[in-house]
Amino acid sequence: MSTAGMIEISEDECLKLLRAFEFGRIAFRVGDVLEVFPINYHADGRDVTFRTAPGTKLAGVLLADDVVFEIDHIGEREAWSVVAHGRARRLDSGKELEEAEQLPIRSLVPSVKREFVRIEISRVSGRRFHRGRQPDPAAEPLVDSTD
């Protein structure tokens, strides 16, 4: 679907874009508080894995019913955004933790992060935007709401 410079990205392409990058944001609500955190991650199939330390991010993401994960890119001619929804769970089995330790997840700031969390994606969507010159407002007709 396309609407005035915006094109929907297919689910397959959304998942491919998630696999191609390593930095995004998670958002979740706990009670009345909405939280957003940047994370480094690894995506595989419909799973996004990240590592963290004990604290607000870990506690909140595990308490939340729905976690939103988002990545985007803004270039000269094109911008896009991918948004995934799912449930998060802490990895705790020996095999899962061993496999997670091998993932190429690099923290932006050197720190000890021993906890691994996996977001199991239930739905994903994306949009691609074609960028260009901004229209001249004077060339746009004004809409008269009394018509």
Side-chain angles (χ1 to χ4, degrees):
M1 176 193 264
S2 177
T3 306
M6 187 274 298
I7 300 169
E8 298 274 340
I9 300 174
S10 72
E11 183 174 298
D12 286 342
E13 187 177 354
C14 286
L15 295 172
K16 186 184 284 187
L17 286 167
L18 288 175
R19 287 191 303 272
F21 293 89
E22 62 185 32
F23 181 79
R25 284 162 294 287
I26 56 169
F28 52 87
R29 179 181 302 281
V30 177
D32 292 337
V33 179
L34 181 62
E35 299 281 0
V36 179
F37 291 94
I39 61 169
N40 291 86
Y41 72 94
H42 179 267
D44 185 21
R46 298 185 72 83
D47 294 333
V48 170
T49 304
F50 67 96
R51 61 189 317 158
T52 189
T56 303
K57 183 185 337 174
L58 178 61
V61 78
L62 296 175
L63 287 172
D65 290 331
D66 186 35
V67 174
V68 179
F69 177 71
E70 189 262 347
I71 65 171
D72 53 36
H73 170 77
I74 300 173
E76 286 293 318
R77 296 184 201 164
E78 175 180 90
W80 54 259
S81 180
V82 172
V83 177
H85 291 257
R87 293 283 308 205
R89 66 179 181 86
R90 174 190 278 153
L91 302 185
D92 57 9
S93 78
K95 182 173 173 30
E96 280 184 323
L97 289 171
E98 285 176 28
E99 291 172 354
E101 285 285 352
Q102 303 305 311
L103 296 175
I105 302 172
R106 294 183 303 272
S107 180
L108 288 176
V109 178
S111 58
V112 176
K113 295 179 179 175
R114 293 192 171 104
E115 302 287 343
F116 285 93
V117 175
R118 180 158 295 147
I119 301 167
E120 297 168 346
I121 298 171
S122 57
R123 71 183 196 272
V124 63
S125 63
R127 294 180 176 173
R128 187 176 308 281
F129 307 92
H130 294 290
R131 301 185 76 204
R133 292 185 1 202
Q134 291 295 318
D136 177 6
E140 290 290 316
L142 295 175
V143 177
D144 184 352
S145 62
T146 60
D147 285 346

